[in-house]
Every structure is written in structure tokens, then in C-alpha cells.
Amino acid sequence: MKLTLMVPDFDAGSASPAVKLHTLTALLDGFILRCKAKSLSPGTVRWYKDRLTPFLTFLESRKIKDMGELAPADIRAFLEHSRAKGQCHGTVYRTYTGIGTFLGFLLKEGLIEKNPIEQVEKPKNVKPIISSLNMEQSRALLEQFDHDSFPELRTWALTVLLLDTGLRISEALGIKKNAVDLQRNSIRVLGKGGKERDVPLGNTAKQALLQYMIKISGLKGQELLFLNRFGGGINRRTIQRQLQLYGQRAGITGVRISPHTIRHTFATQYILNGGDAFSLQKILGHSSLDMVRVYVDMAGSNVALQHRKYSPMDQLQAVPGIKKQSFWKRQEN
């Protein structure tokens, strides 16, 4: 049975709709419209579009013009195609879930009779080890900014804020001036799913924001807090490129410098400094503790490293009664 999305289209001067047949792209447009209707964040909507557009292009290359013709083998072939292009396990897994959500929408709308992804094996989701900056690297990064340059002062203040709050870059760039309450040391941000939350602000970040806000105090008619040199909003890729440049200047190696890395840095340092998982979950805007547990585990491994480095007994060196022996040498004998 061939199923095609049919949307009423009113001809000029006609009171009755004319049925219009739509392509795979139209199906995607319908899904994106549904995502926006659910108030998903612009970043999430863009993610779905970026993931699903190559999928539909791949289907067209296989002469599939109707989702009713889609078979499990087609989905497997696309996932394998993605692996062959060098996509990592996590990316392939997320692509699989994105396709599943899209097909679930089509099934619910009655545009397909069954969801073929139910017969496709779920890809392995190998979670990479999350890297973060240590405090020495964070300090080195912050030392690279020229405060006499407005773009660098702005990005410096933004970086301090990210290190202090762990905000997503989309959340930070969307902050409005009237959402900053310096008296209460808090910022109201709009997170995923259009959910607002109040995020506490430390005194250092408060001072950084104050220095920046004095610079933009003369700009009128702009609601956003973080602006470009022309008084408009900032593209996240601009911040990404700047952070990479300053990271190179600071000589930081072994960790990718990005807004997301800074978010991981905040979360790890928050736990290391004695913060609890439940308050961290609220600050980060996570719906569950699953991701927070990853940060707790990371902090735990960091604690072990710090203990090896600063162990009181190891620092004492010559401890009465301790005989220096090689454990591994004894094991070989």
C-alpha cells in the first residue's frame, strides 16, 4: 500500500481544498513543524533536521520515494553508510534514535502502517570518556583575553560565566539583560524544552558580568546580554572558534577547548569542591541524574589521582618501619 502525506492546499478563488501529494522532504517538514509545536529548543530542532536530511537523501539514492516502501534493511544500510563515513558509535546511535522518533511520528499520524526500525538492531552506544579542563588550564585560558577589545572582553565574561554555572552555550547566548539579577546572584535561563530555571551566580562571575555590562550599558533597544560588535546576537560557532584560538595560545593540549568542555569542567569541579549531585542536576538543567552520575564518577577518578599526588604518607617519604620493595618484582618471583 502506497502512503503519501496529503495536505489540503487551497487554490485561489476556490472554497474547497485541492489534495496535494508531498515528497519525503515534505514529511520531514511536517515532523519539524511538530517539533516546533512541542516547543523543542532551536538546537534540538536543528539537530533533527541535520540528522534526518542525509537519511532521506540516502533513501532517494536507493529509489525510495515513499516511506511506505521503507524496509529495515534500508535503515541498516544507512547506519552502515554512516559508520563507513567515519561517524563514531555515539553519533550512529543518536542517528538511530532520531530516525526512530521520526518514524514514530509518521506511524502516529497514520502515514505508515508499521515502524520498520522496531526490527533494526540498536547500535552499540559506546560513551566516550569526557575530558575537562583542570584549574591550571582554566586559568591559562582566561589569561589570553585582551580586555581592551570588546569581542574579547565579552567572550572572557561569557567564559567565566560558563565555568561558574555550566550553562549550555545556547542557554548563555540566549540570556536577556533583564534576566540577570546581580542583587540575588542569579540568572534566569531558558533551557531545553522551553523550561526556565534560575541558576545561581558566584561572586567572581558576578564581577565579570558587571565589568562587561558596564561596557554595553550605552546600547539601547537590545534585549540580549551577549552581543557582537554591531549590537546583534552571537553565533555559537563564533564563540567556538574563539575558544579554540585562545586554547592554542594558552598551550593547552590533550583536551578539546569548547563550550561543552567548559560545561563538563564546571560539573566535575563542582563535585570535587564538595557540591552534591542533586543541586548539580538542578543547576545543569538535567531531567534525570543519569548524566550527573557520569560527573560524579569522573570526580571520583580525579580524587584518586589527587590522592596519589598528595598522599600524606607518600609525602612523608621515609616512614619508620616501611621497607622499600618492588611489588611487581615480588610477583615475578
Side-chain angles (χ1 to χ4, degrees):
M1 177 179 180
K2 188 172 183 178
L3 298 168
T4 322
L5 179 63
M6 294 184 290
V7 178
D9 181 40
F10 289 88
D11 294 327
S14 173
S16 60
V19 171
K20 196 173 184 179
L21 300 182
H22 288 259
T23 62
L24 297 181
T25 303
L27 294 177
L28 177 57
D29 291 341
F31 174 71
I32 295 300
L33 185 62
R34 173 257 194 186
C35 291
K36 293 179 179 178
K38 290 185 65 178
S39 298
L40 298 185
S41 71
T44 300
V45 174
R46 183 170 55 251
W47 181 88
Y48 274 120
K49 193 166 187 176
D50 290 346
R51 285 286 179 269
L52 294 173
T53 298
F55 174 58
L56 298 185
T57 301
F58 179 80
L59 296 184
E60 289 176 347
S61 72
R62 292 169 70 90
K63 310 302 181 184
I64 296 175
K65 298 181 179 180
D66 190 299
M67 294 304 285
E69 302 169 358
L70 183 66
D74 298 311
I75 301 174
R76 293 190 189 100
F78 176 70
L79 296 177
E80 188 56 39
H81 171 73
S82 300
R83 293 188 189 94
K85 290 180 65 177
Q87 293 186 6
C88 66
H89 291 292
T91 300
V92 174
Y93 175 82
R94 289 188 291 273
T95 298
Y96 169 89
T97 61
I99 293 172
T101 303
F102 173 54
L103 295 178
F105 159 76
L106 297 182
L107 182 65
K108 186 176 180 180
E109 294 291 316
L111 300 170
I112 55 177
E113 293 182 327
K114 59 182 179 180
N115 191 341
I117 205 166
E118 294 176 356
Q119 301 175 49
V120 177
E121 303 74 20
K122 186 178 294 186
K124 183 184 297 184
N125 183 22
V126 179
K127 295 183 179 180
I129 297 175
I130 302 174
S131 298
S132 64
L133 300 171
N134 57 42
M135 287 299 92
E136 289 79 9
Q137 291 171 324
S138 297
R139 180 183 296 276
L141 178 64
L142 293 173
E143 287 174 347
Q144 305 309 309
F145 296 90
D146 178 5
H147 289 213
D148 292 328
S149 163
F150 172 76
E152 294 200 24
L153 172 64
R154 174 210 61 214
T155 305
W156 168 79
L158 174 61
T159 304
V160 172
L161 177 65
L162 296 178
L163 282 166
D164 188 62
T165 62
L167 292 177
R168 300 178 179 93
I169 186 61
S170 59
E171 295 172 340
L173 295 182
I175 295 173
K176 296 182 179 180
K177 293 176 185 175
N178 61 10
V180 181
D181 189 338
L182 295 181
Q183 290 186 332
R184 295 179 56 244
N185 281 31
S186 72
I187 297 180
R188 176 156 294 185
V189 300
L190 186 64
K192 285 188 173 182
K195 297 178 181 178
E196 286 189 336
R197 71 182 188 279
D198 289 327
V199 177
L201 196 63
N203 289 327
T204 301
K206 174 182 175 179
Q207 185 61 41
L209 286 183
L210 190 58
Q211 289 177 223
Y212 166 71
M213 293 174 75
I214 290 173
K215 286 285 187 180
I216 63 171
S217 59
L219 297 176
K220 306 298 181 182
Q222 176 55 268
E223 294 183 342
L224 291 174
L225 174 62
F226 292 107
L227 308 172
N228 61 32
R229 68 179 68 198
F230 304 109
I234 312 170
N235 187 299
R236 69 175 69 190
R237 294 187 185 278
T238 298
I239 303 301
Q240 173 73 60
R241 287 194 295 268
Q242 286 184 323
L243 289 177
Q244 288 177 342
L245 174 63
Y246 302 142
Q248 291 172 358
R249 287 183 187 173
I252 299 173
T253 58
V255 57
R256 185 171 70 97
I257 309 299
S258 71
H260 207 59
T261 298
I262 293 176
R263 178 171 165 86
H264 294 322
T265 300
F266 160 76
T268 305
Q269 291 298 323
Y270 185 86
I271 295 295
L272 283 172
N273 292 334
D276 65 277
F278 292 101
S279 62
L280 178 60
Q281 176 191 357
K282 187 173 182 180
I283 293 171
L284 293 176
H286 284 305
S287 57
S288 73
L289 281 171
D290 291 343
M291 189 61 211
V292 177
R293 290 192 185 96
V294 175
Y295 294 127
V296 173
D297 291 342
M298 288 172 60
S301 62
N302 209 320
V303 167
L305 178 63
Q306 294 300 307
H307 182 270
R308 286 196 296 272
K309 189 174 180 180
Y310 300 113
S311 165
M313 287 293 94
D314 289 349
Q315 295 296 316
L316 194 55
Q317 296 181 350
V319 179
I322 295 292
K323 296 180 180 180
K324 294 287 185 180
Q325 300 185 59
S326 171
F327 174 76
W328 297 111
K329 186 174 181 179
R330 288 177 56 197
Q331 292 295 308
E332 291 172 358
N333 294 337

